[in-house]
Amino acid sequence: MSNAKSDPQDFSVVQFSLAVGPSGRPTQQAVLCESSVSVEKAFNSARRRAYEEVERLKTVNSGAGAEPEPVELIDTEWGYDIRCGWLVVKRFWVHDCSVRAPVVVD
């Protein structure tokens, strides 16, 4: 474990979601939500955002008229996935920004 002082933005919460691309096919979008000084704060933020999104999706699905797709929150190693039916529609993952050196492949 390193004794190096942490930068204020060592851990980021990134939201991955599906969107419809120009060709009508699903594409993935990534949006930086916020940065944190600790991994614990980043995971707390990711969890809060994921719970809020699950509640929003349940509300939207309940007004759809037909049998709504079940909305499920999945705790992962990297953060939280939100699944509607069989499809993962959104992710709130924590990214470690402290690694500054690029990976070199020969």
Side-chain angles (χ1 to χ4, degrees), residues 67-104:
E67 181 68 28
E69 291 282 343
V71 179
E72 183 180 8
L73 181 66
I74 303 164
D75 187 352
T76 73
E77 181 178 352
W78 304 279
Y80 300 89
D81 289 356
I82 300 171
R83 187 165 51 197
C84 288
W86 58 270
L87 184 64
V88 174
V89 295
K90 210 165 263 196
R91 290 183 157 135
F92 292 92
W93 282 4
V94 174
H95 172 69
D96 182 357
C97 302
S98 64
V99 179
R100 306 280 188 240
V103 177
V104 179

Side-chain angles (χ1 to χ4, degrees), residues 6-60:
S6 295
D7 284 342
Q9 299 179 351
D10 276 351
F11 300 95
S12 296
V13 177
V14 181
Q15 173 188 311
F16 298 93
S17 58
L18 292 178
V20 178
S23 66
R25 299 187 70 197
T27 61
Q28 180 175 278
Q29 293 181 327
V31 176
L32 175 64
C33 295
E34 68 181 73
S35 297
S36 298
V37 295
S38 73
V39 70
E40 293 85 3
K41 287 183 180 181
F43 271 98
N44 286 338
S45 174
R47 181 175 45 250
R48 178 183 47 79
R49 290 170 184 276
Y51 276 113
E52 289 171 358
E53 183 62 15
V54 164
E55 290 307 313
R56 188 190 73 77
L57 288 171
K58 285 181 179 179
T59 300
V60 169

